[in-house]
Amino acid sequence: MTTVDYVLRLGDDALITAQRLGAWYAAGPEMEEDVALANIALDQLGAARLLLTYAGEREGAGRDEDALAYQRDAAAFRNCRLVEQPEPDFAAVIAKLLLLSAFQLPLYEALAAGADERLAAIGGKARKESAYHLDHSTLWTLRLGDGTDESHERMQAAIDALWPFVDGLFSGEGGPVAPAAIRPAWTSTVEDVLKRATLSVPAPVAEPAGERPHLVELLAEMQELHRAHPGARW
Amino acid sequence: MTPREAVAAVVDPELRVVTIDELGILRDVETDEHGHVTVTITPTYTGCPAMDVIRADIGAALRAAGHGDHEVRTIFAPAWTTDWISAGGRDKLAAAGVAPPGPSGGPVALSIGVRCTHCGSPDTEQLSRFGSTACKALWRCRACGEPFDAMKAY
């Protein structure tokens, strides 16, 4: 039986990723990249809408996708902490997208063949898009990792900075596919890409405990309009 | 005009040369004994922003054809694939400057032999996997130097 929290976790991962990527529109290193990041943000938002709608229906308390996106506080968000981390430079965007899409692709594939029909339909749709995200982040990781001294340094720094949040990708249960079951496939994909990009795989690091200031800040911006004008529509 | 004919003639709001029927977005049109029409559509990409416009256009087409009692359902499985674009739809896309997709094959099928929509040369290269809409990629012709859109095999 799929729990509400399980669906929220996947939906929140996608929603927060879409919000972070949206901030890069017109700030990428080239125009094609602005378009690419906006496309990927839109894919993530599409998956988030389907997942949050489903979570609201399972919960049965009358909350729709908008209520879940705009009317929850940070403490009620179930996303892994990786996705809310800040992106000080483009290398951080690519590193995060690599680590995330190497997780989302095999997860969606497994869900597509899983017992929950609704998640199977969403997974079957989203996996095609995730394949493009993984492909895109892989190409950039290779280009930056095996590029100039500076791009290599920045790419490695980005991977190192995000590594403490890797364990969080695989936590959680309550659905047809346990995130932990995805780890072997993820490790194989990520280690292969990092190696080809002449980057090193960091040693395991524990996730820092404590508050989630980045999520609080992100939500303040994302929810501002809805909170100031409840029920506002375009 | 039957409900099916009215809905099948609705054009895609972003690729205005092809209909939603030719694109494979339109999955089913059913009319029950009371004249209630149920239209079933599926999105190309999960986040495709054209879906709201498509739903509105279907409603307008049905009303204009005298079928006011209708609903539009959106389904996600089976997932849309570019393999569902009809032969006629492919020809229209090509004529409008959007290179039609090859067979989808796998999750990320490499596009083999994308022909330039300007001069027809097969000597082309992909500039970016992501284009002006979710379903397109940006290509360039090495022969004539012009850029063009190509629909991603998906």
Side-chain angles (χ1 to χ4, degrees):
Chain A
M1 186 82 167
T2 308
T3 64
V4 175
D5 269 4
Y6 182 88
V7 186
L8 275 181
R9 149 79 207 278
L10 304 185
D12 288 345
D13 277 0
L15 178 66
I16 302 301
T17 300
Q19 178 70 9
R20 278 273 184 248
L21 286 174
W24 278 86
Y25 190 66
E30 57 193 31
M31 206 196 292
E32 287 79 4
E33 193 55 26
D34 284 346
V35 174
L37 293 179
N39 266 283
I40 295 170
L42 201 55
D43 290 342
Q44 294 282 348
L45 188 64
R49 293 185 61 180
L50 298 180
L51 289 161
L52 292 184
T53 297
Y54 182 40
E57 288 171 20
R58 283 209 81 98
E59 184 186 51
R63 291 204 281 184
D64 64 3
E65 51 177 316
D66 281 353
L68 288 169
Y70 294 126
Q71 293 172 4
R72 281 181 300 155
D73 292 328
F77 270 75
R78 295 285 170 265
N79 60 283
C80 65
R81 288 176 64 187
L82 173 78
V83 296
E84 74 200 39
Q85 295 311 304
E87 290 154 354
D89 63 9
F90 180 65
V93 177
I94 293 306
K96 194 196 287 181
L97 190 60
L98 174 70
L99 302 181
L100 179 71
S101 55
F103 167 76
Q104 284 180 327
L105 176 58
L107 179 75
Y108 288 147
E109 280 175 340
L111 287 176
D116 186 314
E117 266 183 38
R118 190 76 171 267
L119 289 178
I122 297 170
K125 187 86 198 139
R127 67 176 168 181
K128 292 182 169 200
E129 295 163 14
S130 288
Y132 270 97
H133 306 169
L134 179 57
D135 188 55
H136 188 70
S137 52
T138 295
L139 290 176
W140 269 112
T141 302
L142 297 176
R143 191 166 155 190
L144 295 174
D146 196 12
T148 65
D149 286 346
E150 180 170 358
S151 73
H152 175 90
E153 243 172 63
R154 285 197 185 207
M155 199 61 220
Q156 185 69 57
I159 292 285
D160 292 350
L162 293 172
W163 209 255
F165 302 97
V166 159
D167 281 349
L169 274 173
F170 308 104
S171 67
E173 47 191 26
V177 179
I182 302 300
R183 190 150 198 165
W186 181 91
T187 302
S188 147
T189 302
V190 169
E191 289 191 358
D192 172 64
V193 174
L194 294 183
K195 195 173 149 196
R196 284 193 286 140
T198 73
L199 296 163
S200 50
V201 179
V205 202
E207 186 169 297
E211 301 292 312
R212 300 168 77 174
H214 305 306
L215 180 63
V216 171
E217 196 180 332
L218 180 150
L219 293 181
E221 188 172 82
M222 189 180 86
Q223 299 175 335
E224 183 184 6
L225 185 97
H226 197 94
R227 289 189 186 271
H229 306 280
R233 303 197 72 82
W234 290 110
Chain B
M1 201 186 285
T2 66
R4 167 90 210 176
E5 287 165 348
V7 174
V10 170
V11 297
D12 181 87
E14 287 181 347
L15 299 163
R16 298 196 67 87
V17 295
V18 286
T19 67
I20 58 172
D21 190 31
E22 290 166 328
L23 274 179
I25 292 171
L26 179 62
R27 303 312 302 157
D28 193 35
V29 182
E30 270 184 38
T31 310
D32 70 13
E33 67 269 30
H34 307 295
H36 178 75
V37 180
T38 304
V39 179
T40 306
I41 55 174
T42 194
T44 54
Y45 284 68
T46 54
C48 180
M51 290 306 282
D52 289 338
V53 179
I54 290 172
R55 272 188 283 271
D57 288 352
I58 289 172
L62 283 171
R63 278 190 296 277
H67 308 285
D69 180 20
H70 62 261
E71 64 181 303
V72 181
R73 287 173 58 224
T74 305
I75 58 165
F76 296 93
W80 180 80
T81 162
T82 43
D83 295 343
W84 291 351
I85 302 174
S86 68
R90 283 163 199 272
D91 291 345
K92 288 185 190 175
L93 284 173
V98 180
S104 65
V108 180
L110 287 176
S111 304
I112 305 156
V114 171
R115 282 185 180 273
C116 173
T117 56
H118 303 287
C119 73
S121 169
D123 186 15
T124 59
E125 61 180 337
Q126 188 178 58
L127 288 180
S128 174
R129 278 175 167 69
F130 298 90
S132 54
T133 65
C135 53
K136 288 182 287 189
L138 187 60
W139 284 67
R140 177 168 58 200
C141 177
R142 290 201 193 91
C144 72
E146 291 290 332
F148 62 95
D149 277 336
M151 197 173 238
K152 293 189 270 200
Y154 179 81

